[in-house]
Amino acid sequence: MTSTFRTGIIKTLTVPLHAESFPGGLPSFLVRDDILCWTRREAGLVGFGEIARFTATGPERFLEADIWWRHLVLEADIEDAVDCPGTGPVAFGSFAFSKVSAHESRLLVPEIVVGLRDGQAWLTQLTFDDGELTEAGARAALDRWLRSDSASADSDPPLLAAEAPATEATLHTGSLSEEDWMSAVAAGVKEIRTGALEKLVLARDIVATIPAGVNAARVLRELSARYRECWTYGVDGLVGATPEMLIQVEGRTAQARVLAGTLDRRDADGMAGSPLEFAERVLAGSEKQRHEHDIAIQSLTTQLAPFSEAMNAHSEPFILELPNVWHLASDVKAELAEVEGHVPTCLALINALHPTAAVCGTPTTVAGALIRKLEHLDRGPYAGPVGWLDAAGNGEWGIALRGAVIESPQTVRLYAGCGVVDGSVPETELAETWAKFRPMLESLGISS
């Protein structure tokens, strides 16, 4: 593990902002390609700059990051006039999916954070310097970041996909061709039928080359405008809009949103009844989809139970409507119990929960080994936790789905995966990956 920051005690100042002063909400601040971002609808957090960074690899990456963060904020000098989740010291994070991945998991502490929640807005400045922090200084620092010559995206309103100009781009095969990936799905089904496991999640990647360059700020604005029910994230070149919440912690309350079961909205074209009636009939009425969803719910609740004194989940999944697909979804809520004298932190919970059946399979040990054998792919941060945490233990951590990694100024690697169970058809699963690629492709201006 490594950490980079100037020595000393971290100081933070949080002051209120007038939410009315930015009617577009937080997406109006998405003007830099290097911004840190976690937004849903108009709310969330965005960060500018970087004063500290932690990186780690391996099976202990979550616990090592947790220790680093708690030591950093233990003696912090915090002045907070707002005092709500996301104020004071904040770090944005992205973690590798696999414990054997070479990809570095990371926590990044920004210099400036702007937050919006329940109509309340704030500005936080963070520093290791000895000088006094003032409201005027914090506002001036934010203005410098917003007006910096290095800002690489204009502040035009986002274009929806129907309006977006087509980008001259080339799509390339990733780690496996479509034929080889379908063979991997068939091999996974064969393993499931032996009884070795119940479910396997297989991912694939494609690479987009965009000669004109990747405009990350525009991608984030596109995603936040079109996928308002998802959490749009941007951390160190990882961008996307996830519909799945791994864990959200506020005080002693933890919540999660579990997805498993997918239907492409284009499949409803020409079908009788309303699109939602079609989704309910085909998705909620499918034994295969319901079985896959039940496995995902059981996985999360079993892992969360030792940390909870009370828990409830939807008895029936609901249909989550997104612009590209429908999902079977369930929300889980738990009251956290004290473990060894304290409420578990976000990262301690993530260490226990990840990977869930929704992104790995079950049993996870067997599924994880089979993933490494069949995918021929280092997922990097794809399907790993992404989000933020504060000094009080609050935080929101989604699963990095519907996303991509910007690998160079002109190159983006996109990821998508599918749950494989007994009865999965390789051609159908391949089509599902293309439906899941669609948010990123459209946000990049690539027709799909």
Side-chain angles (χ1 to χ4, degrees):
M1 64 177 180
T2 62
S3 58
T4 305
F5 57 86
R6 286 172 287 178
T7 57
I9 294 175
I10 192 171
K11 297 171 60 177
T12 70
L13 172 67
T14 301
V15 297
L17 292 176
H18 295 294
E20 299 79 11
S21 62
F22 41 99
L26 282 189
S28 65
F29 285 88
L30 302 179
V31 297
R32 295 180 57 93
D33 282 358
D34 58 354
I35 198 168
L36 296 162
C37 168
W38 179 267
T39 69
R40 183 170 184 253
R41 299 174 184 154
E42 283 73 41
L45 298 172
V46 295
F48 299 87
E50 179 184 321
I51 65 167
R53 171 184 292 246
F54 170 87
T55 61
T57 58
E60 303 301 318
R61 61 200 184 283
F62 302 115
L63 297 180
E64 289 174 358
D66 191 27
I67 292 169
W68 179 84
W69 177 246
R70 285 189 284 133
H71 283 176
L72 185 65
V73 301
L74 182 63
E75 296 181 352
D77 182 353
I78 303 170
E79 187 176 346
D80 188 349
V82 179
D83 192 23
C84 74
T87 62
V90 168
F92 291 78
S94 163
F95 287 83
F97 168 81
S98 173
K99 63 185 179 183
V100 299
S101 174
H103 177 82
E104 288 187 333
S105 300
R106 62 205 66 189
L107 289 179
L108 280 67
V109 182
E111 177 192 340
I112 291 290
V113 178
V114 178
L116 179 63
R117 173 191 173 97
D118 299 329
Q120 187 173 35
W122 64 89
L123 166 65
T124 299
Q125 185 174 15
L126 305 93
T127 184
F128 285 98
D129 292 337
D130 293 330
E132 182 183 5
L133 293 178
T134 66
E135 181 172 348
R139 291 179 181 273
L142 173 61
D143 189 62
R144 285 195 300 273
W145 279 108
L146 292 176
R147 298 182 183 278
S148 170
D149 291 339
S150 63
S152 57
D154 58 37
S155 56
D156 292 338
L159 298 171
L160 296 183
E163 315 169 46
T167 298
E168 290 293 332
T170 306
L171 292 181
H172 309 274
T173 298
S175 300
L176 290 177
S177 67
E178 291 188 348
E179 292 75 17
D180 287 341
W181 188 80
M182 286 190 290
S183 295
V185 172
V189 173
K190 185 177 179 180
E191 287 290 330
I192 289 168
R193 288 175 178 168
T194 68
L197 71 168
E198 284 189 88
K199 176 185 175 181
L200 174 68
V201 180
L202 288 177
R204 57 184 289 255
D205 61 334
I206 57 175
V207 179
T209 300
I210 304 174
V214 182
N215 188 323
R218 178 173 289 282
V219 167
L220 291 171
R221 293 201 303 274
E222 292 280 346
L223 290 170
S224 65
R226 297 192 71 247
Y227 290 83
R228 289 173 47 79
E229 295 307 307
C230 296
W231 290 269
T232 297
Y233 57 87
V235 178
D236 220 22
L238 173 68
V239 295
T242 181
E244 189 153 2
M245 176 66 73
L246 175 61
I247 199 72
Q248 176 190 47
V249 177
E250 183 175 336
R252 296 187 66 148
T253 301
Q255 299 185 75
R257 171 162 289 181
V258 181
L259 308 181
T262 304
L263 180 63
D264 191 339
R265 290 184 68 110
R266 291 179 178 177
D267 291 348
D269 294 346
M271 295 295 178
S274 70
L276 184 57
E277 289 173 338
F278 173 77
E280 290 173 342
R281 183 170 67 252
V282 176
L283 193 58
S286 166
E287 182 178 347
K288 169 188 173 293
Q289 302 278 22
R290 291 293 294 266
H291 176 59
E292 182 183 342
H293 189 80
D294 289 344
I295 290 172
I297 285 290
Q298 184 64 38
S299 166
L300 181 123
T301 55
T302 298
Q303 296 300 103
L304 189 57
F307 302 92
S308 308
E309 57 187 27
M311 187 189 310
N312 63 71
H314 288 143
S315 57
E316 287 288 319
F318 62 92
I319 302 291
L320 177 64
E321 298 184 73
L322 299 177
N324 60 325
V325 295
W326 290 287
H327 286 296
L328 283 180
S330 292
D331 289 335
V332 177
K333 186 175 183 178
E335 290 303 312
L336 298 174
E338 288 192 3
V339 178
E340 296 181 353
H342 61 82
V343 175
T345 64
C346 289
L347 293 177
L349 291 173
I350 290 171
N351 183 63
L353 296 175
H354 178 80
T356 66
V359 293
C360 180
T362 187
T364 54
T365 302
V366 177
L370 195 54
I371 283 171
R372 291 190 290 274
K373 176 182 176 182
L374 296 178
E375 281 186 352
H376 300 279
L377 168 70
D378 185 341
R379 292 185 178 185
Y382 168 73
V386 61
W388 63 270
L389 75 165
D390 66 17
N394 305 303
E396 294 179 289
W397 292 87
I399 300 174
L401 306 174
R402 312 303 140 81
V405 175
I406 301 171
E407 295 187 333
S408 78
Q410 289 82 34
T411 306
V412 183
R413 188 175 299 271
L414 293 75
Y415 298 85
C418 295
V420 177
V421 295
D422 189 6
S424 290
V425 178
E427 291 79 7
T428 302
E429 303 302 335
L430 180 67
E432 183 177 316
T433 65
W434 281 110
K436 291 175 175 178
F437 282 135
R438 203 178 303 148
M440 281 304 308
L441 289 172
E442 291 177 344
S443 297
L444 288 164
I446 302 172
S447 57
S448 62

